[in-house]
Amino acid sequence: MSAVPLPSITIVSTSLPKVAWGKGIYIHDADGKRYIDGSSGPAVYCLGHGNEEVNDAIKAQLDKIAHGYRYTFTSDPLEELSSQVAEASGMEKSVFLTGGSEAVESCLKIALQYHSARGEMSRRRFIARERSWHGNTLGALSVSGFLERKAAFEGALMPVSHLSPANTYRPPAGVAPENTGEACAAELEAEILRLGAEKVAAFIFEPVVGAAGGCVPAPPGYARRVRDICDKHGVLMIADEVMCGAGRCGTWRALEQDGVKPDIMSVAKGLGGGYIPLGAALYSAKVAEPIFSVYGGVMTGHTFTGHTAACAGGVAVQKIIKRDRLLENIRSLEPKFRVMLREATKDIAEVGDIRGRGFFLALELVKNTMTREPFAAANRLYIRVRDCAFANGLICYPSGGNVDGVNGDVVIISPPYITNEEQLGEIATLLGASIKQAIQQMKAA
């Protein structure tokens, strides 16, 4: 396989502006240019930048102690964040980590340990989906379906079954859009039976697919069918909500909107808002019981697991989200934001789909809206959109290969939860203008 050509969003550019400071939803570089953070970076900065209340909470904790090692001490921030997350998520147990990849890795290990505790050592296999992204550690990379980010590591990854994406805009061949959820759930059950249920540990999926697909929500009824299938065959359901969770979609768990609770769940990004690296693996009492009975606890985590200052930052972020009713802000403004995006792009024939939930929306750009044919990867349209937007003072989150791993262009817009209606209008206007410029550049090339 040939190397993936540059430029790419997977490889950091050698010529980036230097960040200087940020406040609210705006960032300033060292040259004085201002950017509106229309994507919260990579969907991280849920409270924007420079929140003094969060900074003060972290500083206060640093003045006491930065980190009490988890095998020596517990702490008030760790215990308070555990309580906050249990209340918000309905997941009884948690392990706090340093980011999303580590959280997913821990979710996979917890699933394996659960089956080990039950004496089912044959359950070692994972099932996932194509056009998914779960992280950069080897386990998380193994369950991911993101060609550009995996190609260099093939041959060293775990064997994982990858199913069709559950995307009503691009349903499996021969399947009507309205039947996508049922067809994809049936594919999961067929794969469990093909492998042998006694060999399958868990099915992992993103309730709203992030970077790999561009804010693709679970089709109606899909998550409930997956829940039933997993229960039927003794397979654990892992919801990867690193990108779509912690309120990003307007509810603390994205799967709340599907009426389903997973067995294990990863969360990060909006958990701590990017003030200090923070993620978590959450798991139910059902999963905890055999693990604690046999092993005394989960066998996952690292030196900085439950980092005290990071937990203090997370506590402050979660308090503000709840106190200021920011999830209600997302839910009330989402319909208006969708209208703004449609209005700003109404004369751009290449906008094929606008989708997502809450403040986690994406636009898919296509060559032909009737056939939904994507632009050839060589055009790098998503990179052009990113560059035009950045030049115009807008930060967005583009991604390529969403159709087949190579072709396809999407642009994610995931503003901070604090964004108001006027600022959403500014984001939509800048995005529409930037997409037009990018398409014009592509056609002129």
Side-chain angles (χ1 to χ4, degrees):
M1 181 181 294
S2 61
V4 176
L6 296 178
S8 164
I9 61 167
T10 298
I11 305 298
V12 176
S13 171
T14 57
S15 57
L16 295 173
K18 185 178 292 186
V19 70
W21 61 281
K23 192 68 177 176
I25 71 166
Y26 298 96
I27 296 176
H28 300 255
D29 69 21
D31 294 324
K33 182 175 179 178
R34 189 191 79 163
Y35 307 82
I36 186 169
D37 196 350
S39 62
S40 305
V44 173
Y45 311 119
C46 60
L47 296 185
H49 306 276
N51 186 288
E52 294 177 6
E53 189 174 343
V54 178
N55 288 341
D56 287 345
I58 295 169
K59 292 173 188 174
Q61 183 57 51
L62 291 175
D63 285 339
K64 297 175 184 176
I65 188 169
H67 179 212
Y69 181 46
R70 66 181 179 131
Y71 286 131
T72 307
F73 295 103
T74 184
S75 68
D76 286 339
L78 173 59
E79 293 177 5
E80 187 170 1
L81 187 58
S82 298
S83 178
Q84 287 176 325
V85 168
E87 179 183 357
S89 69
M91 307 291 284
E92 292 86 355
K93 297 290 185 178
S94 54
V95 180
F96 292 102
L97 306 146
T98 60
S101 296
E102 193 180 326
V104 169
E105 198 81 7
S106 287
C107 289
L108 301 178
K109 291 175 68 183
I110 290 168
L112 294 171
Q113 192 182 357
Y114 166 82
H115 292 298
S116 298
R118 289 166 51 86
E120 296 185 288
M121 290 296 295
S122 63
R123 288 187 182 267
R124 305 286 93 176
R125 286 292 297 266
F126 292 96
I127 301 175
R129 301 189 308 203
E130 292 293 349
R131 301 317 308 152
S132 63
W133 176 239
H134 299 292
N136 261 319
T137 52
L138 283 177
L141 198 59
S142 297
V143 295
S144 296
F146 200 143
L147 178 61
E148 179 182 350
R149 299 184 184 184
K150 288 182 67 172
F153 309 101
E154 291 293 356
L157 304 177
M158 298 189 306
V160 173
S161 298
H162 285 89
L163 309 178
S164 302
N167 182 347
T168 56
Y169 186 68
R170 295 189 178 278
V175 176
E178 64 271 19
N179 297 328
T180 300
E182 178 58 37
C184 290
E187 186 181 355
L188 168 63
E189 185 161 34
E191 183 62 11
I192 292 172
L193 294 174
R194 188 190 73 82
L195 293 170
E198 73 282 358
K199 295 180 181 178
V200 181
F203 171 59
I204 181 170
F205 74 110
E206 298 168 272
V208 182
V209 180
C215 303
V216 181
Y222 171 77
R224 284 186 178 275
R225 284 285 291 121
V226 166
R227 177 74 274 178
D228 292 343
I229 290 166
C230 287
D231 288 342
K232 177 181 176 181
H233 296 287
V235 173
L236 294 176
M237 174 196 272
I238 303 175
D240 179 358
E241 296 206 9
V242 165
M243 203 168 193
C244 64
R248 171 62 55 193
C249 291
T251 49
W252 207 91
R253 288 190 301 107
L255 271 183
E256 272 182 66
Q257 299 176 42
D258 302 279
V260 171
K261 180 180 173 181
D263 298 302
I264 306 172
M265 172 182 161
S266 58
V267 64
K269 297 187 185 284
L271 179 62
Y275 284 83
I276 297 186
L278 182 65
L282 314 180
Y283 54 107
S284 67
K286 162 194 158 180
V287 172
E289 192 280 325
I291 291 176
F292 277 71
S293 176
V294 173
Y295 296 102
V298 291
M299 298 169 66
T300 191
H302 304 279
T303 299
F304 299 115
T305 294
H307 190 280
T308 315
C311 288
V315 166
V317 168
Q318 294 306 308
K319 280 183 177 178
I320 293 168
I321 290 173
K322 184 176 181 179
R323 182 195 68 206
D324 295 351
R325 304 175 67 86
L326 294 181
L327 302 192
E328 288 91 330
N329 182 61
I330 292 172
R331 293 196 295 269
S332 67
L333 288 178
E334 178 193 350
K336 296 178 182 179
F337 192 29
R338 285 180 180 270
V339 171
M340 293 174 187
L341 290 172
R342 291 193 187 97
E343 184 65 23
T345 60
K346 65 182 180 182
D347 58 347
I348 304 176
E350 292 81 3
V351 174
D353 192 26
I354 300 176
R355 56 176 176 255
R357 292 180 183 174
F359 276 11
F360 195 44
L361 304 178
L363 295 80
E364 180 168 347
L365 306 176
V366 295
K367 189 174 183 180
N368 185 312
T369 55
M370 296 299 293
T371 63
R372 302 180 182 180
E373 177 189 358
F375 288 99
N379 289 299
R380 292 287 183 177
L381 178 56
Y382 70 103
I383 294 289
R384 294 179 187 275
V385 173
R386 178 198 65 181
D387 292 346
C388 287
F390 203 63
N392 291 332
L394 171 67
I395 299 171
C396 59
Y397 190 101
S399 189
N402 67 292
V403 175
D404 56 10
V406 177
N407 303 292
D409 301 275
V410 293
V411 183
I412 295 172
I413 296 295
S414 49
Y417 304 174
I418 61 172
T419 308
N420 62 36
E421 187 172 346
E422 181 181 354
Q423 292 166 334
L424 292 176
E426 182 182 359
I427 291 169
T429 299
L430 286 172
L431 180 65
S434 300
I435 292 174
K436 289 178 186 177
Q437 290 173 7
I439 292 171
Q440 290 169 357
Q441 287 181 9
M442 178 186 67
K443 291 179 177 179

